[in-house]
């Protein structure tokens, strides 16, 4: 049976995250998985189960989420994304569709993932605030130093026990993960982005990394403090969990090919 | 009495345009003028009348709208914009505040204005659609040729009777205006923008110019046909009125100084 791998982009603002949620006795919440699975079923005209690579939280965006489904229906590849998109609301879209092996597992087969956290920063007494893209960036009412943040980011790279930067009661056995790269780039005097990639991420890990780097950027922590914060394996040592609107899942990489970032959406 | 000139940016999506509208027996509609005037009155603690340079339509955006009000309250200039912004919703903001002569009239004193119309184009059978900025661009389901459009745009420049590119029953006496410049720029293979500036604009003029240039871009009209379309002074000779979401008032120029585009908002 054909199995399809979809690259999915969404603005998370009006979704309750990726994963389906059916509260007992109530309507299912509006989640990306729910909305996308329904659109796929309308196209293939049979029940399908849609699996995603990353369970992004409520309000978190994606440019390169990966989802997969198996169907008995053979679909022409050049039409499957267009057909699904025609049945999707305007805050989610397929940007690419390919066929994959029947055994393809979007979670287990993922080699690495990349996230971006976007920040608009400035003193609250300044006029400047984000507006046209306010749903896609987090506003930080302080002046941040991207150079200090970038220096601190280097302290995250490598294989570590990241218990300091995940939610307490995270419910996973091991908190050891590998961060492949972490960089902080200023695009204007008021805008910066944190790009972090790794082989896997703990719950809230990117948002707490961002919060910790913001503490460095505003001068409350020294860049050299990051390795010690990680070594303490204590959530209270790290910075706050940043809000979801600045976070975006950029790509998921599988066996040698990286899901391209801008295949469809610009 | 001090008179203040404000540069105003807004996302027009959820506004019924600039101008106040109070339907009889109903709540006033949500307009930029209404919302902004109320915020100003909260700051100055007295009634004010706020005048704008351009009555943008429902759904049209602005980066450089100009508004002015006179008050008996003397406000420190470095705080007036921050104080007003603190009382504004997140889809409108002041990006600059200056004091002006008591006689300053934002409509009569305007020397020129600039608008931008932003388009995302591509065949409907293609995957690509705008998503993250879907409220700020118009999607055109066709492949457009920006070079042809730019060539056609030159035919609009100058002082002409623009009756062909305004709404029938426009209600103004003269339909002669001067277009100072009109250019079409492709930013990616799917995105282009039309920038037009002039000493004054008729109702729907930029949206009909955009619709006419789109007809050229898709090959239904020749670039050289534009002067003839204008010369006919007949609305039916021009292209369709494009929807509001692609349109943005970029700047209004007064006596030698141009309202800067990015003073506050980025």
């Amino acid at each position: 049976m054909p199995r399809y791998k979809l690259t999915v982009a969404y603005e998370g603002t009006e979704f309750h995250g990726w994963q389906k949620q059916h509260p007992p006795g109530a309507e299912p919440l509006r989640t990306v998985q729910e909305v996308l699975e329904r659109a796929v079923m309308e196209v293939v005209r049979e029940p399908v189960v849609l699996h995603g690579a990353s369970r992004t939280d409520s309000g978190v965006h994606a440019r390169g989420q990966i989802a997969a489904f198996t169907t008995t229906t053979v679909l022409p590849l050049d039409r499957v994304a267009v057909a699904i998109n025609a049945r999707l609301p305007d805050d989610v879209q397929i940007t690419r569709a390919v066929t994959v092996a029947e055994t393809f597992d979007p979670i287990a087969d993922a080699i690495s993932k990349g996230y971006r956290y976007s920040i608009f920063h400035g003193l609250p007494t300044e006029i400047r605030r984000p507006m046209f893209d306010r749903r896609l960036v987090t506003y930080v009412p302080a002046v941040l130093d991207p150079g200090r943040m970038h220096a601190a980011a280097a302290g995250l790279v490598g294989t570590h026990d990241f218990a300091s930067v995940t939610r307490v009661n995270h419910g996973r056995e091991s908190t050891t993960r590998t961060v492949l790269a972490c960089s902080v780039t200023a695009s204007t005097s008021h805008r910066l982005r944190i790009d972090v990639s790794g082989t896997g991420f703990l719950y809230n890990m990117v948002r707490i990394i961002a919060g910790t780097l913001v503490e460095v950027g505003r001068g409350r922590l020294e860049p050299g403090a990051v390795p010690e914060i990680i070594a303490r394996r204590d959530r209270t040592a790290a910075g706050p969990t940043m809000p979801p609107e600045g976070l975006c899942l950029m790509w998921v990489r599988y066996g040698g090919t990286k899901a391209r970032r801008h295949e469809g959406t610009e």
Side-chain angles (χ1 to χ4, degrees), chain A residues 24-215:
Chain A
E27 288 293 300
L29 297 181
R30 185 175 191 264
T31 63
V32 182
Q33 189 181 25
E34 175 90 26
V35 164
L36 186 54
E37 198 174 77
R38 202 181 316 131
V40 169
M41 288 193 285
E42 284 177 30
V43 170
V44 301
R45 296 162 186 260
E46 67 180 3
V48 299
V49 179
L50 186 87
H51 292 110
S54 175
R55 287 175 294 186
T56 56
D57 278 341
S58 189
V60 173
H61 319 292
R63 288 183 184 268
Q65 170 75 286
I66 298 294
F69 66 95
T70 298
T71 175
T72 60
T73 312
V74 176
L75 300 161
L77 252 191
D78 61 337
R79 295 233 306 270
V80 59
V82 173
I84 297 170
N85 279 341
R87 290 158 177 87
L88 287 174
D90 68 359
D91 51 354
V92 52
Q93 63 179 205
I94 309 301
T95 62
R96 194 177 184 221
V98 294
T99 49
V100 284
E102 269 194 75
T103 56
F104 174 76
D105 181 328
I107 295 179
D109 293 350
I111 291 173
S112 57
K113 292 175 191 166
Y115 288 91
R116 174 169 288 176
Y117 199 93
S118 301
I119 290 173
F120 188 106
H121 63 106
L123 289 177
T125 52
E126 280 188 282
I127 296 178
R128 290 162 195 267
R129 298 285 163 95
M131 194 188 68
F132 290 105
D133 64 348
R134 64 192 178 278
R135 297 175 189 84
L136 307 174
V137 302
T138 294
Y139 172 67
V140 174
V143 173
L144 303 179
D145 179 338
R148 280 173 61 93
M149 295 170 73
H150 187 68
L156 295 158
V157 176
T159 302
H160 306 289
D161 183 337
F162 282 102
S164 290
V165 290
T166 187
R167 192 194 264 211
V168 188
N169 300 324
H170 45 77
R172 297 221 190 187
E173 294 187 1
S174 166
T175 46
T176 296
R177 294 289 184 278
T178 300
V179 168
L180 297 167
C182 187
S183 64
V184 179
T185 315
S187 54
T188 72
S189 58
H190 285 266
R191 290 177 183 274
L192 61 84
R193 49 181 192 247
I194 302 164
D195 284 294
V196 56
S197 59
T199 57
F201 289 90
L202 302 165
Y203 189 60
N204 274 359
M205 181 167 160
V206 180
R207 289 164 60 180
I208 300 171
I209 285 175
T212 306
L213 295 179
V214 164
E215 293 293 277

